[in-house]
Amino acid sequence: MQHSAINELSILLVLAFIIFISPYFSKISKIPIAPIEIMMGIIFGFFGFIPHSEPFKIVAEVGFFYLMFLAGTEIDLKSFFKIEKSIIKLAFAYLTILYIVAGVFSAFISPAFLVIVVVPLMSVGILSTLFKEYGKNEPWLNTAMIAGGIGEVLSIALLTLMSAYIEFGSSIELFSSIYYLILFIVLCVLGFKGLEVLFWWYPNLKILLMPHDDKSEKDIRLSMALFFSTVAVMIYLNLEIVLGAFIAGSFIATFFNHKKDLPHKLGSFGFGFLVPIFFVYIGTTVELEYLLVPGVLDNAMKLMIFMIIVRVISSMIFVKRFGLYDSILFGLSLSMPLTLLVAVATVAYNAGNIAKELYFAFIIASIFEVILSMILIKFTNYLKFRLK
């Protein structure tokens, strides 16, 4: 048997084991599944059980794009516009503080564009898992999802611009990318408005596209068609694919909310198959021996502590509305931008803008942020009820 075929078999068998066993380790350790999968990827990759493979890398990238698609399905734009204005103002104020802090620190840390993207980074991928434990009746968690959704859109837009800047510099191609980004967003807004009018005039059209009694899985087929079509458009426009995937997911959540089980069906496929492959792959890119290299662990700890502290302090603008403990819980819940932090680090590293040591520091920080934030959320929630 050829060496490459043996490598592929090894990857498949190890992936099968990790995908199956991760939920059990997560339940025992009380750590979310995503960091468990990354850590197992690091360990198995270090011992050579998951060798480098181009097909594995491609499938992992698809898993990441699908994760962003699933994150988009958490954002119902119609519900967003019905949210209390004071909440929206506080959410924007919170994000503004983060971007001001990022702007200040970018004057002292290089590269500046990376600092501006990383410090206020938001991702609702891990945040959405908190609903399973704390329910949907917690004001701090619902508000965190609103602020996280807005922040994630801004983060993805900045990631798109950063990717273009890294690839093209200050040349005309950069401005061309900005033009296409603005054009794409404008077309999306017009498309949403147009479809809102269309479905208002013809409400049965939604049922026709996604019937309640569906033996042909038309809802999944339409979702996948939209996902791949949007990815193709982003590739053609040379824009960051995650933005298109996220918007495609929000389209599903906004216009097809009559299919209550659809997000669960899409999530079951993603979190049970494609997404774990992405997290395991990220783990395999971390060379374990580099953890002992000066500048990796210490930078990871500094980044993790700084990002958590900045978010918790910024969340104090909610004290009058939520009280101290819920405000802290709000800040901690938004301190887990694992997926986008990994994405930003990967883009910067592949372009040669950061050293390998700093890339690994980002990956380690993204894992430890989730673990520490989850522990602090449990502890703060315990104190809140204990001291009542």
Side-chain angles (χ1 to χ4, degrees), residues 22-332:
S22 293
Y24 297 98
F25 277 108
S26 176
K27 187 175 181 179
I28 294 169
S29 64
K30 304 298 182 184
I31 297 172
I33 294 178
I36 293 288
E37 289 165 343
I38 293 176
M39 288 187 284
M40 293 185 79
I42 293 173
I43 295 168
F44 280 95
F46 174 75
F47 287 105
F49 293 108
I50 308 179
H52 173 75
S53 169
E54 197 61 30
F56 178 38
K57 180 181 178 182
I58 293 170
V59 175
E61 288 178 351
V62 174
F64 173 59
F65 301 145
Y66 193 78
L67 177 61
M68 291 297 100
F69 175 71
L70 292 176
T73 61
E74 299 287 345
I75 309 297
D76 183 344
L77 295 178
K78 289 181 181 177
S79 299
F80 178 80
F81 290 112
K82 296 176 184 177
I83 297 167
E84 191 180 332
K85 287 185 178 179
S86 60
I87 291 288
I88 297 294
K89 287 179 181 178
L90 283 171
F92 273 108
Y94 172 78
L95 293 170
T96 300
I97 293 171
L98 293 182
Y99 278 99
I100 290 173
V101 171
V104 170
F105 275 86
S106 68
F108 305 99
I109 303 174
S110 181
F113 68 86
L114 189 60
V115 177
I116 292 172
V117 173
V118 167
V119 172
L121 206 60
M122 292 284 166
S123 180
V124 298
I126 303 296
L127 172 62
S128 60
T129 63
L130 293 177
F131 283 107
K132 296 179 181 178
E133 185 167 353
Y134 298 99
K136 296 191 175 183
N137 296 320
E138 292 285 356
W140 62 269
L141 187 52
N142 290 324
T143 307
M145 181 57 78
I146 294 166
I150 298 170
E152 182 155 18
V153 172
L154 292 173
S155 296
I156 292 173
L158 282 174
L159 175 60
T160 303
L161 293 175
M162 185 192 86
S163 180
Y165 177 75
I166 287 174
E167 185 174 354
F168 303 119
S170 300
S171 64
I172 189 66
E173 284 88 352
L174 172 64
F175 297 100
S176 176
S177 292
I178 294 173
Y179 165 76
Y180 282 126
L181 175 61
I182 294 172
L183 178 63
F184 178 75
I185 293 173
V186 169
L187 289 175
C188 285
V189 171
L190 293 175
F192 273 107
K193 288 292 183 182
L195 286 170
E196 191 174 16
V197 172
L198 178 65
F199 288 138
W200 186 81
W201 279 103
Y202 304 101
N204 289 333
L205 184 58
K206 289 195 289 187
I207 309 299
L208 180 65
L209 292 171
M210 288 191 184
H212 290 291
D213 185 19
D214 182 13
K215 295 180 180 178
S216 302
E217 304 294 348
K218 291 191 179 89
D219 51 356
I220 299 292
R221 292 171 184 267
L222 178 59
S223 300
M224 292 298 97
L226 181 64
F227 171 64
F228 286 115
S229 298
T230 311
V231 168
V233 170
M234 300 307 281
I235 292 173
Y236 177 76
L237 295 177
N238 201 25
L239 295 174
E240 196 61 41
I241 295 173
V242 292
L243 176 62
F246 185 83
I247 290 175
S250 63
F251 170 89
I252 295 294
T254 302
F255 294 109
F256 297 98
N257 52 10
H258 67 286
K259 292 287 291 185
K260 301 298 182 184
D261 63 331
L262 180 56
H264 176 71
K265 288 165 71 175
L266 293 171
S268 296
F269 171 69
F271 289 112
F273 173 54
L274 281 175
V275 176
I277 293 175
F278 163 68
F279 286 127
V280 173
Y281 172 76
I282 289 301
T284 64
T285 63
V286 178
E287 297 171 25
L288 204 57
E289 61 270 20
Y290 266 79
L291 295 181
L292 302 176
V293 174
V296 176
L297 271 181
D298 53 339
N299 281 330
M301 294 302 106
K302 288 176 186 175
L303 179 62
M304 175 190 69
I305 293 168
F306 175 71
M307 290 183 73
I308 291 176
I309 289 176
V310 166
R311 281 161 168 72
V312 171
I313 292 175
S314 300
S315 69
M316 290 301 105
I317 64 171
F318 287 92
V319 165
K320 287 185 178 179
R321 189 175 188 94
F322 293 151
L324 178 62
Y325 288 108
D326 280 3
S327 297
I328 293 173
L329 286 168
F330 172 89
L332 290 172

